[in-house]
Amino acid sequence: MEVIYSMMTLTLIFSTPIIITAIGGMFSERSGVVNVALEGIMMIGGFTAATSIVFLEKSTSFAPWIALLFGLIAGVLISLVHAYISINLGAEQVISGTAINLLAGGLTVYLSQVIFHQQRTQSFETGFIKTTYPGLSKIPIIGRIFFENIYPTVYIALIIVIASWYVLYKTPFGLRLRATGEHPQAVDSVGISVYKMRYIGVLLSGALGGLGGAIMVLTFDTQYTIGSIHGVGFIALASLIFGKWKPAGVLGASLFFGFSQILSVYSTDFAFLAKFPQEFFKILPYLLTIVALLIFSGSSVGPKAAGEPYDKGQR
Amino acid sequence: MKKIYDYILDEKNHHFIIPAISIILGFLVGSIIMIFSGLNPLDMFASIIRGVFGITLSKIGTGKAIFNARYLGEYFVFAMPIILTGLSVAFAFRTGLFNIGAEGQMIVGSFASVVVAILVPLPPVLLLPLVILAGALAGAIWGFVPGILKAKYNVHEVVVTIMMNYIALFMTNYYLKKLPGSTNSKTVALVKGATLKSDFLSDITNHSRLNWGFILVIIAVFSFWYIIEKTTFGYELKAVGYNPDAAKYAGIKVNSRAALSMVIAGAYAGLGGTVLAIGTFGYGRVLPQAEGYGFTGIAVALVGGNTAAGSLLGGLLFGALNAAQPIMQSSGIPKDIAVIISSMIILFIAMQNGIKMLLERLKGGK
């Protein structure tokens, strides 16, 4: 039982950056802009957070939180590029996204060398620390999973899921955003700016992707390296698809992919897991996404207008 | 002057002008970034000249040897794989498909070549062709999966190819480590007969890693041109790329053409992997992460306007940036500036509607 509890806590911790980034991707794609740049946005966010904390941690105990904020802002700035190219210039969104992924790898390592004179950022003393909340951790079952040896960032992820569900389904803004991704012409015809809705969608994906990357580096790493994000942005993209572009679905898919990542850690505890090589668990999210796409292919689940530039003249 | 001006503004020349402007802007942004970080962009251009032509500008007039043929050889070593991944991306683009999967197709190509070279006991005359074929075939299979999913089930090829890049990386790493004699980072050295290595080519270029792979590259470039420009099949592919509905109406089997286009695209990338594994290195490598040849291939294809000759030129351009990287790093310039420039060039090409608008405005204001 001990093992099961700690496994669930660790699943939550591993899933946190996936959940946050995938929810960001959801806002972008729901507004009609495909965002394959999530990986690059996470890298920029992670690098910015790691750099900020190195300079801040001597002077303030809030350094990790301020670093998160800077990571988020950096994510917004880089997503502006994607927004402008995709929305204003009507470019092929996948090409723009791919270029940003490439740029993020180059830019973060370049800046590391300019600022720290090495291929990675300087290591920071402490990122976020695992905490046990006295009192709350005494609650049966829930306390063990949610309040013992856990990072506070996990709660951010859960709050974001609930908030995004509320925004998307219970507010006029959410309705407009969803409509923009399905039928932009209809949205335009009732006087709502398609460009504005799409900008908000893409910038939200930048904010959340930057935050996800920042959390990832400040919880799993002691510095930013080119391998810090190692494909988690694409796992987030996978979660988005696997979760059918819906908040609850994205949460479920992210938790599942987070779980599959930690299975390899626990393979020594369970005899049947030891048979599988580590690589098997790494492949699992990607393989399952292809299978999911195949299963969904009959019914149209994704936002209908995603990927198509909006042209006012075309009604 | 007036003539140049008219040439630039003429819409017919946009297919050439836009990549050219993008390349210039890419280098411009890179140079500005360097200036802001206290570096001299001219040092970067000197590194590129040294990487491509083997000429060290700073040694001119010092009496030391200014030319080193090894750099020239290494330049082609850097350019060869990305010309092939460029062809791969370009071929799929012609049918309207976006092959982000060249990276993965290349990885399985390398892998298949290495496996055959190590495990199949044949005399070199038979083994080498089989090793090359295995690489192309593995890439083709890796391209077939997104191709058939697109054709039969209309699943978007972009997401499938991204996912398959990672599957390729982790799967081949696992099996490479299982091969007899492998360490955690590489396999045993391949027998010479199963590689493209050449003492002759290496000797004339002052012991570079230049190898017979360039013959495969030339054949690939030629085959691309032939298929696209000279065959009915190529014509059908282009028709599907221009307008799938019209192609369907004209009786072209759009779905099967899409799948086949991905198969051929995959074969080019797989061949790129083969050249890398049995030409450049001569052993299989366990990679901690993807190396980016496939992504550079996207830049190559875009710059080259998705043509055979364009991909060749694009490969030579980005090969120059790659070849200059180690030289830059050793002279104090972070080599990642090359990555920044490549990605900026892709971004500017993606912005081509903006560039076109700008050119139109210039024309209007004349």
Side-chain angles (χ1 to χ4, degrees), chain A residues 85 89-91 94-95 98-99 102-103 106 109-110 113-114 231 234 241 277 279 282-283 286 290 293-294 297, chain B residues 33-34 37 39 98 100 149 153 159 162-164 166 170 174 177 298 329 334 336 339 343 347 350-351 353-354:
Chain A
I85 296 178
L89 297 181
V94 177
I95 295 180
T98 307
L102 207 59
L103 178 68
V109 179
Y110 179 85
Q113 294 183 63
V114 170
F234 289 119
I241 296 164
E279 282 83 356
K282 288 184 178 167
I283 287 175
Y286 306 110
I290 296 178
L293 278 170
L294 202 59
S297 67
Chain B
I33 291 177
M34 284 183 74
S37 34
L39 296 161
F98 192 9
I100 299 198
L149 290 183
Y153 304 100
V159 180
I162 288 175
M163 301 299 146
M164 289 194 67
Y166 282 95
F170 295 126
Y174 173 71
K177 285 187 272 187
I298 296 170
Q329 194 71 33
D336 306 272
V339 183
S343 51
L347 273 181
M351 288 187 198
N353 289 341

Side-chain angles (χ1 to χ4, degrees), chain B residues 1-11 13-14 17 21 358-366:
Chain B
M1 198 59 208
K2 172 100 173 49
K3 257 190 185 158
I4 300 174
Y5 194 70
D6 285 343
Y7 180 80
I8 290 176
L9 294 185
D10 191 347
E11 217 162 299
N13 302 319
H14 275 182
I17 291 295
I21 292 177
L358 219 64
L359 291 176
E360 286 300 313
R361 204 168 294 167
L362 280 176
K363 207 173 173 179
K366 196 173 55 167

